[in-house]
Amino acid sequence: MPTKPKIKIVDNNQLRAEIDELYEKTSQIDLAKWSLSIAKHILDIVGIDYNLIADIADGFQINELWQLDKAGMHDVRQTGFKIHKLARECDDEIRKTALRVAGQAVGSGHMREHAMVASDYAVKTIGLLNSNNINAVTREREWQLNELKRISQHRY
């Protein structure tokens, strides 16, 4: 059953469907790696140095520790909530949306569905940066698909 976007976005539906199909076959740990990669990619594009923001750096680290079974679900959820709080407090729509990518990515350790939501927020961020230009959105979806293939390739 394909996932449906939980937010309103201009999208390349064919590429999203391809990502969704691979997403369904991918382990939660690989999805967490993928969504963290998306978050770092988007934060770089927007110009947010996640290493200088303790809540984001901690969230990424906790998710990575969770992937190694060295952090619990509670820790993942709490650090994700801190990043979402940063997003709520942000006045700039592009930065707010980029922070939501990071929050959802961290949350992928709690629920695998957060990985696709992070992916969709990344598309929304690119749309905001590029006046919803479908070519820019398509390039982002292509990047995401290639990244998911790269991370999950050793499994198939």
Side-chain angles (χ1 to χ4, degrees), residues 23 31 41-42 52 57-58 60 73-74 101-102 114-116 131:
Y23 155 86
L31 289 174
H41 159 77
I42 289 297
L52 299 179
D58 291 348
F60 289 177
M73 199 68 66
H74 176 76
V101 176
H114 289 295
M116 276 305 287
S131 304

Side-chain angles (χ1 to χ4, degrees), residues 42-51 53 56 95 98-99:
I42 289 297
L43 292 172
D44 283 343
I45 288 172
V46 173
I48 297 173
D49 187 344
Y50 50 88
N51 294 307
I53 302 172
I56 298 174
R95 293 174 71 84
L99 290 169

Side-chain angles (χ1 to χ4, degrees), residues 18-34:
E18 276 186 67
I19 290 168
D20 198 46
E21 188 177 326
L22 184 53
Y23 155 86
E24 290 295 335
K25 298 184 246 178
T26 302
S27 74
Q28 188 172 355
I29 288 173
D30 282 349
L31 289 174
K33 290 176 183 173
W34 174 62

Side-chain angles (χ1 to χ4, degrees), residues 78-125:
Q78 293 308 308
T79 58
F81 291 150
K82 288 179 182 177
I83 299 170
H84 285 298
K85 183 176 186 286
L86 291 175
R88 282 192 307 277
E89 294 169 351
C90 187
D91 292 333
D92 180 270
E93 194 64 26
I94 292 169
R95 293 174 71 84
K96 176 185 299 232
T97 306
L99 290 169
R100 288 200 170 119
V101 176
Q104 292 292 333
V106 170
S108 66
H110 171 243
M111 289 176 55
R112 61 184 279 123
E113 293 79 10
H114 289 295
M116 276 305 287
V117 179
S119 166
D120 289 341
Y121 269 114
V123 166
K124 182 175 180 177
T125 305

